Amino acid sequence: MKLFTCTHCGEILYFENTWCAHCGYSTGFYAENSDLLALSAKNDEDFQQNNIFYKYCTNHKFDVCNWLVSTGSKSAYCVACDLNRTIPNLQEQRYRNYWHSIEAAKHRLVYSLLKLRLPVFSKREDLKKGLCFDFVADEKNKKIFTGHDNGLITINIAEADDIKREMMRKNMNEAYRTVLGHFRHEVGHYYWNRLIDGTMNINMYETLFGDYKKDYGNALKQYYANGAPAGWAQDFISAYASSHPWEDWAETWAHYLHIMDTLETAHYFDVRVKPLPAKNANMCTEINDDPYNVADFKQIINQWLPLTYAMNSLNRSMGVADIYPFIITPAVMKKLSFIHNVCFGLKERHC
């Protein structure tokens, strides 16, 4: 995520800011130019900048969205909120709190997808190829599972409960589990359908990830019964990635988005890593470029690895777990590079 500044006074702002504490202007994110705009009030609902009028997304009234739509837009929702099919029951306060956390993660996801110039549109526009989200809670006799089904991503809103999510992470022996991580993983399944299945990319995908046609249900049963195979870490980014080529793709896709978004943040903070005792130049990096503009994935990974060493060391200094407890092996590097090449090729066609 890049750093934003108030377009009125220059104060640094967070992505989620709805107003600038320095000058008092209302602020909103406009996806068309990926910028956070300071807005002069025209009336209670419409704002103006450079003679262009905007209004907040309808979900702004629930304090879950600060994105803008142009006055006269076909939809009253921003591109991120327009993807929602089902939201939690807002009569329950804790569900409203969960939804706030869920939307914060989802908006960051959509920001990354737009930066990559990936197709982002709802099933209301295209029922077959579109994307939509259901945010739902468990019922008395019905357990809701987070997952993807032909463009419909279901998120159990209990994932926004920090205590429940941490308990689940430990029970499933996962190194990492966050709401944003769920979004990135599940949307990976969606983009497998859009970018890999039935395209010229399918042969290279099978070379790197394996035969996706093997029985998915049976593969998951074997994984949950027996765990990951011995030596899985040489070929997979996580144990779960070893369960089936579809899950390998989704897990690797999620890590690709982790890398791109974190490196963009580091770039805007002008982060440089140069360990004082290090003699190995591979431990040093200057993140001079926005990764979304870098075609060579080798350059990206050469910046990522020193950055993770620094981030993990800082976390350990605070007595908390490593922020990136994963190892990127040569086999995983090839998979990540393939994903980057697929996305970057698509981005270049849109430029």
Side-chain angles (χ1 to χ4, degrees), residues 27-44:
T27 60
F29 180 77
Y30 191 50
E32 292 294 323
N33 59 6
S34 296
D35 205 1
L36 198 62
L37 305 180
L39 305 160
S40 59
K42 176 180 174 243
N43 55 46
D44 290 341

Side-chain angles (χ1 to χ4, degrees), residues 214-216 219-220 223 228-229 236 238-245 247-248:
K214 73 176 184 178
D215 190 287
Y216 178 69
L220 290 189
Y223 171 77
F236 303 97
S238 69
Y240 187 56
S242 70
S243 62
H244 189 277
E247 297 303 339
D248 190 10

Side-chain angles (χ1 to χ4, degrees), residues 172-231:
M172 299 188 71
N173 195 28
E174 296 174 334
Y176 168 93
R177 190 183 183 97
T178 67
V179 178
L180 182 54
H182 276 306
F183 274 110
R184 288 172 171 167
H185 173 98
E186 299 303 340
V187 87
H189 288 299
Y190 169 71
Y191 282 109
W192 186 89
N193 291 341
R194 298 299 313 282
L195 306 178
I196 304 299
D197 190 26
T199 74
M200 65 180 67
N201 296 316
I202 192 67
N203 291 334
M204 180 56 71
Y205 165 81
E206 288 200 274
T207 298
L208 294 172
F209 293 86
D211 181 10
Y212 68 93
K213 293 184 290 295
K214 73 176 184 178
D215 190 287
Y216 178 69
N218 187 54
L220 290 189
K221 284 183 181 179
Q222 291 186 20
Y223 171 77
Y224 286 120
N226 305 316

Side-chain angles (χ1 to χ4, degrees), residues 13-285:
L13 301 172
Y14 288 108
F15 176 59
E16 293 83 6
N17 276 131
T18 57
W19 65 288
C20 174
H22 184 260
C23 69
Y25 270 53
S26 295
T27 60
F29 180 77
Y30 191 50
E32 292 294 323
N33 59 6
S34 296
D35 205 1
L36 198 62
L37 305 180
L39 305 160
S40 59
K42 176 180 174 243
N43 55 46
D44 290 341
E45 295 183 353
D46 297 293
F47 299 89
Q48 177 185 1
Q49 191 197 61
N50 298 329
N51 295 319
I52 301 176
F53 293 102
Y54 308 90
K55 59 183 177 182
Y56 280 120
C57 169
T58 293
N59 281 340
H60 176 261
K61 65 186 177 185
F62 299 113
D63 194 30
V64 297
C65 180
N66 69 334
W67 286 31
L68 303 169
V69 295
S70 299
T71 301
S73 172
K74 293 181 180 179
S75 175
Y77 294 96
C78 69
V79 64
C81 289
D82 197 48
L83 301 175
N84 292 352
R85 192 180 77 162
T86 306
I87 63 171
N89 178 5
L90 301 185
Q91 299 303 311
E92 297 237 10
Q93 183 59 48
R94 65 190 175 107
Y95 287 0
R96 292 175 72 104
N97 295 337
Y98 290 166
W99 190 35
H100 187 277
S101 298
I102 288 168
E103 287 294 343
K106 189 198 73 182
H107 280 69
R108 284 182 172 260
L109 168 75
V110 175
Y111 169 90
S112 295
L113 301 179
L114 294 175
K115 287 281 288 192
L116 288 167
R117 304 225 176 173
L118 295 171
V120 181
F121 52 87
S122 76
K123 283 189 173 293
R124 279 184 287 276
E125 293 183 58
D126 189 326
L127 184 61
K128 184 177 180 180
K129 296 183 178 180
L131 174 67
C132 68
F133 295 96
D134 281 352
F135 305 135
V136 289
D138 288 332
E139 300 174 7
K140 287 185 178 180
N141 299 313
K142 184 180 180 181
K143 171 70 175 176
I144 300 298
F145 293 97
T146 293
H148 167 265
D149 182 16
N150 194 31
L152 169 62
I153 292 176
T154 301
I155 301 289
N156 187 323
I157 62 172
E159 289 292 342
D161 185 310
D162 293 339
I163 295 175
K164 291 182 179 179
R165 189 178 62 254
E166 178 62 13
M167 291 174 61
M168 183 66 73
R169 187 190 68 80
K170 290 185 176 181
N171 289 339
M172 299 188 71
N173 195 28
E174 296 174 334
Y176 168 93
R177 190 183 183 97
T178 67
V179 178
L180 182 54
H182 276 306
F183 274 110
R184 288 172 171 167
H185 173 98
E186 299 303 340
V187 87
H189 288 299
Y190 169 71
Y191 282 109
W192 186 89
N193 291 341
R194 298 299 313 282
L195 306 178
I196 304 299
D197 190 26
T199 74
M200 65 180 67
N201 296 316
I202 192 67
N203 291 334
M204 180 56 71
Y205 165 81
E206 288 200 274
T207 298
L208 294 172
F209 293 86
D211 181 10
Y212 68 93
K213 293 184 290 295
K214 73 176 184 178
D215 190 287
Y216 178 69
N218 187 54
L220 290 189
K221 284 183 181 179
Q222 291 186 20
Y223 171 77
Y224 286 120
N226 305 316
W232 65 264
Q234 292 300 313
D235 298 304
F236 303 97
I237 191 64
S238 69
Y240 187 56
S242 70
S243 62
H244 189 277
W246 280 340
E247 297 303 339
D248 190 10
W249 164 269
E251 284 286 271
T252 310
W253 174 276
H255 280 260
Y256 173 68
L257 295 185
H258 295 337
I259 291 169
M260 298 295 282
D261 194 40
T262 307
L263 277 179
E264 186 188 30
T265 304
H267 165 62
Y268 276 91
F269 274 96
D270 194 23
V271 171
R272 304 178 186 196
V273 179
K274 188 177 181 181
L276 293 179
K279 296 181 181 179
N280 186 346
N282 292 333
M283 293 300 300
C284 304
T285 188

